Amino acid sequence: MCYPEDDAAEAALLQEQNDEKSQSCLSFTCMWIMTVLFIFLVIITFPISAWFVLKKVPNKERFVVFRLGRIIGSKGPGVILLLPFIDQWQVVDIRSKIFTVALFEASCKDRAQIIVGAEVSCHVSDPEVFVTAVEDIWHALERTAKSVMINLLLKKSLAKIKKNKSKFEQRLSSGINQKTKSWGVRVDRVTMVIHSEDLHLSSATTSSRVHHDARSSSSSVTSLQQPSTPSTDSEEMGKGAGYEDTEDDRFSPDWVLTKVQSLLTEDLVKQIGAVYLFVVSLKDGNRNLYHLDLTRDSGYAGYGLPKIEPDVTMEVTEKTMRALLTGSTRPFSAYMSGKIRLQGDLKTAMKLEDLIKLLPP
């Protein structure tokens, strides 16, 4: 049985399709007329026009050309012809690029809580699709890679992931490719950084002198600065009178966090006003995470990830961190020499010199 409403809807749909076809034909006809006219203009003004219409495209790039707003293809490498006034183009670099997935907390199949990040190497495989598919392509790639990592981590235990890390990275690369191939991007390699949070949270709980909770009171800070009586904890952390412990004890994580916390003030927070995340590579291959929050109250220093997104992430070795704290290396010099891998604003990162100057020599 046919209903009048169905017939009316079908007729409206057919009419809309016919209108689109007629508009498309009209637009296509106008484009070809304009193209012929401008080609004729280029010919009669040759060779002067050659300076404006001929472009050299290097092998590392491709030009995605739009004619009167309609994409006509990707051109290059070599010398290409672009018509004045009606052609616009966008340059796409097809060389391999590396973007990072910032460290985040995730859970494995065995409910192990870890902190994980990744470096993803990729290249543009289809310049036309790359330009038109997604507006902020690199942000979308980072979010997609993070989503795929979370899903795959939930399917494997932490022990299996560490044992077969290379196979897991291959699966991760394949999973990202399945989602990004329609964007004109191909992932070449994924390098994952796994950091077990439990190791550092346990060390944090053994020291009553170090705190990183946002609700820490001013009295607790005072106890960090001037311990009334010596205790086992303070001896282990190298906080005895005069700090006469060994160099390794003196620059232990507990000692550093204690001294940094004792130096934080409201004036310093107003002066810097940023959140820092430090990823310190140890000699045994493990990594420690520390954060410094200089955005509220008198500032906070502690283990693990900060409660809010860090403004600057610094990756350093244990040796470089020690050199920074002793003043033998300045942050800017370490950055320029490649000893610090920085994510974030360089100017904000260099503000840490004001805090490092306050540490005892």
Side-chain angles (χ1 to χ4, degrees), residues 35-250:
T35 301
V36 171
L37 289 177
F38 276 96
I39 289 177
F40 179 73
L41 178 63
V42 169
I43 292 175
I44 63 176
T45 58
F46 192 84
I48 298 176
S49 60
W51 291 97
F52 304 97
V53 299
L54 297 179
K55 301 291 182 181
K56 182 180 179 181
V57 182
N59 193 51
K60 64 182 181 180
E61 296 176 351
R62 297 293 183 270
F63 280 23
V64 179
V65 182
F66 297 84
R67 181 162 296 166
L68 296 176
R70 186 187 296 270
I71 189 168
I72 63 171
S74 172
K75 296 186 177 182
V79 178
I80 64 173
L81 175 67
L82 296 174
L83 298 179
F85 306 112
I86 64 172
D87 280 354
Q88 293 180 333
W89 61 92
Q90 184 168 338
V91 180
V92 178
D93 193 333
I94 62 172
R95 291 176 296 180
S96 295
K97 297 179 178 63
I98 295 178
F99 68 91
T100 60
V101 179
L103 294 168
F104 64 94
E105 295 183 9
S107 299
C108 300
K109 185 178 180 180
D110 55 358
R111 298 184 180 180
Q113 296 294 321
I114 61 173
I115 297 174
V116 64
E119 287 186 351
V120 182
S121 174
C122 62
H123 70 276
V124 177
S125 58
D126 191 334
E128 296 179 38
V129 178
F130 177 80
V131 169
T132 58
V134 182
E135 182 179 0
D136 190 352
I137 185 68
W138 298 113
H139 179 69
L141 285 170
E142 182 180 351
R143 294 293 297 272
T144 300
K146 182 176 179 180
S147 176
V148 173
M149 287 179 66
I150 292 174
N151 292 333
L152 290 181
L153 286 170
L154 290 173
K155 297 179 181 179
K156 296 288 184 180
S157 64
L158 180 58
K160 290 185 177 180
I161 292 173
K162 288 185 174 181
K163 183 179 179 180
N164 303 309
K165 187 170 178 286
S166 59
K167 291 184 178 180
F168 187 85
E169 290 174 342
Q170 291 176 1
R171 290 188 58 188
L172 184 58
S173 177
S174 177
I176 299 174
N177 266 324
Q178 290 180 0
K179 294 181 177 293
T180 62
K181 62 182 180 181
S182 59
W183 299 347
V185 178
R186 179 172 180 80
V187 174
D188 302 318
R189 174 180 52 83
V190 177
T191 303
M192 190 169 59
V193 178
I194 302 175
H195 172 81
S196 179
E197 187 181 26
D198 297 337
L199 297 176
H200 308 292
L201 289 181
S202 60
S203 63
T205 56
T206 59
S207 174
S208 60
R209 303 295 183 183
V210 180
H211 62 285
H212 61 279
D213 190 77
R215 295 168 295 180
S216 301
S217 62
S218 58
S219 61
S220 62
V221 176
T222 305
S223 66
L224 286 172
Q225 295 174 339
Q226 298 177 353
S228 56
T229 57
S231 63
T232 304
D233 288 339
S234 62
E235 291 174 1
E236 291 178 356
M237 294 165 56
K239 296 186 297 183
Y243 303 101
E244 296 178 355
D245 297 295
T246 64
E247 186 178 0
D248 289 339
D249 290 336
R250 178 175 178 179

